[in-house]
Amino acid sequence: MANPSPILRQLGCFRSLMKPQSLQHAQISRRSITTAYTPKSQPLDFPSKMPKTFLSQIPTHLQPHSRKKLKVYPPPASATTTCKDAVGAVNQSQLETLDPTGERKALFDYRRNPRSVKVGDIVRVTFKNGDPFAGVCLSIRLRGHDTSFLLRNQLSRVGVEMWVKALSPNVESVEIVQRTAHRKRRARLYYMRQPRHDMGTVENIVTNYLRQKQGLRGIKGRGGRGQRR
């Protein structure tokens, strides 16, 4: 391939020499303004004697003696200092609301109350909305206002279990139908789910309990009427 002519080579060199000059001309033609940035917390220090025409052009937050003293309020008290045990305080307030007398809590406090509900007892629960449910108590969870217990029974030869909240507003009453013959060695009687240990239905025991309860009420009512006469 033939070499380029010397004329083209000279023109290329001439253009390369003209580029920096054009850049210098463009930079000179530009006008730049430099400003000093000062945050609002650090106003500029001006001399004491300054003409008013000059001060009027300065922003207000940069003018001397323009900052006003703000009233500083103390921070609010921390929750960690006012209430060290927040979970315990909430638990206590819920107990006072759901169980003001403390009878329901004592009924399931098997560690302190010897006559409380224990695992193995047959318990009958009456609800405000719905049919009552009775069964063998398999487990008790002591968790403050969230205390619950597990009941097991057989309905139509099918094992049925129900967790009941002891302090639920829907629970109207909890009755101990029959206590266990001997103290259980376990805290959770889950082995009663097996066919050989399953107690079966407790409807006959609950029916006899309700008959005895009705008979005692009738005797008390007759005695009261006789006393009134």
Side-chain angles (χ1 to χ4, degrees):
M1 189 172 181
N3 294 329
S5 62
I7 298 172
L8 295 176
R9 189 179 300 171
Q10 290 177 2
L11 288 173
C13 296
F14 182 74
R15 289 176 182 174
S16 63
L17 291 173
M18 287 297 293
K19 284 183 180 179
Q21 293 180 2
S22 62
L23 291 174
Q24 289 178 2
H25 181 70
Q27 290 178 358
I28 291 170
S29 63
R30 292 176 184 173
R31 298 180 62 186
S32 61
I33 301 174
T34 58
T35 56
Y37 171 73
T38 55
K40 294 183 178 181
S41 60
Q42 297 179 0
L44 294 173
D45 295 332
F46 297 100
S48 58
K49 294 182 180 181
M50 186 70 67
K52 294 182 179 180
T53 56
F54 182 75
L55 289 174
S56 62
Q57 298 177 5
I58 300 174
T60 55
H61 68 276
L62 296 178
Q63 294 181 7
H65 310 291
S66 63
R67 298 181 63 190
K68 297 181 180 180
K69 292 184 178 180
L70 300 176
K71 188 176 181 181
V72 180
Y73 295 93
S78 177
T80 56
T81 57
T82 56
C83 183
K84 295 183 179 180
D85 187 10
V87 177
V90 172
N91 192 6
Q92 187 64 27
S93 64
Q94 291 291 325
L95 286 175
E96 292 176 358
T97 304
L98 299 174
D99 189 21
T101 59
E103 296 179 359
R104 193 68 61 82
K105 179 183 176 182
L107 183 62
F108 292 92
D109 194 1
Y110 58 87
R111 297 173 182 173
R112 299 179 182 179
N113 186 11
R115 297 192 59 81
S116 64
V117 178
K118 298 180 178 61
V119 291
D121 296 348
I122 298 175
V123 182
R124 182 175 183 267
V125 182
T126 307
F127 302 97
K128 293 181 181 179
N129 299 325
D131 299 331
F133 185 81
V136 184
C137 183
L138 300 185
S139 177
I140 300 174
R141 292 179 180 175
L142 293 178
R143 296 181 179 177
H145 66 279
D146 198 27
T147 300
S148 59
F149 56 99
L150 178 63
L151 300 180
R152 178 179 175 81
N153 194 4
Q154 277 193 4
L155 301 177
S156 302
R157 297 183 181 181
V158 178
V160 179
E161 294 184 1
M162 177 186 290
W163 279 102
V164 182
K165 299 289 184 180
L167 301 181
S168 173
N170 191 30
V171 176
E172 186 174 359
S173 64
V174 180
E175 301 173 308
I176 301 175
V177 177
Q178 183 180 0
R179 292 191 178 274
T180 179
H182 55 277
R183 183 180 178 183
K184 305 296 182 181
R185 296 183 180 181
R186 300 184 184 182
R188 300 173 183 83
L189 307 182
Y190 294 151
Y191 65 88
M192 296 186 70
R193 296 171 178 172
Q194 301 176 6
R196 60 177 180 175
H197 297 292
D198 194 357
M199 191 174 179
T201 180
V202 296
E203 294 299 328
N204 296 332
I205 301 174
V206 174
T207 304
N208 294 333
Y209 167 77
L210 294 176
R211 287 177 182 175
Q212 293 177 3
K213 189 176 179 181
Q214 266 187 348
L216 292 174
R217 285 181 180 177
I219 293 172
K220 288 182 180 179
R222 292 175 184 176
R225 290 175 184 175
Q227 290 176 1
R228 287 178 184 176
R229 288 178 184 175

